[in-house]
Amino acid sequence: AQKITQTQPGMFVQEKEAVTLDCTYDTSDPSYGLFWYKQPSSGEMIFLIYQGSYDQQNATEGRYSLNFQKARKSANLVISASQLGDSAMYFCAMRAPPGNQFYFGTGTSLTVIP
Amino acid sequence: SAVISQKPSRDICQRGTSLTIQCQVDSQVTMMFWYRQQPGQSLTLIATANQGSEATYESGFVIDKFPISRPNLTFSTLTVSNMSPEDSSIYLCSVRGQGIVDEQYFGPGTRLTVT
């Protein structure tokens, strides 16, 4: 069965510092995709970054990078130079067969402190 | 990327009533997805709506409670029927991207409170 685990219900980070949000996954399928989404208090889901299971390099998108450790089945999100606007819920998700359905973790609430 | 709009953005409803949520996409898509996010929880897939066929419901969700319409390739509705306070959630419409990454795009959500 597919499973996504986020063990950090809440995290705090000082403005301008870097923070790592943890995500582990479980799938027996060799082909899958890993995603991170940000959900501000407004409720919308904002796509941040993607890592494919066959990608050799860690994905990066601006201040976001994904620390992909395939053997450990982890896909941690690193946010560099945190900003106050980064305060939100962050969800890790996996797309995997069958049906390529998306499976979401329980989320991590990030608070950036001025 | 896809631009998705939802109506209403929020509503407060009385128990026993029904609410229909509309989802409009700015491009034609084969599949549209409806998710529920209960307070403080993650997203749970309710059903997948394909144009021209019956929606496919996930375990724990039934058509009588969450009827879905998909009249064309850019529009879908989700009805929450005979509501109870446990139905208070954010309901999100979603479509899949068409590119290599194939990410999910989400609408802004409908925040429903049932009293």
Side-chain angles (χ1 to χ4, degrees), chain B residues 71-90:
Chain B
N72 58 53
L73 291 172
T74 63
F75 187 80
S76 178
T77 67
L78 169 76
T79 299
V80 187
S81 304
N82 188 24
M83 288 184 285
S84 66
E86 292 71 36
D87 294 319
S88 297
S89 298
I90 298 175

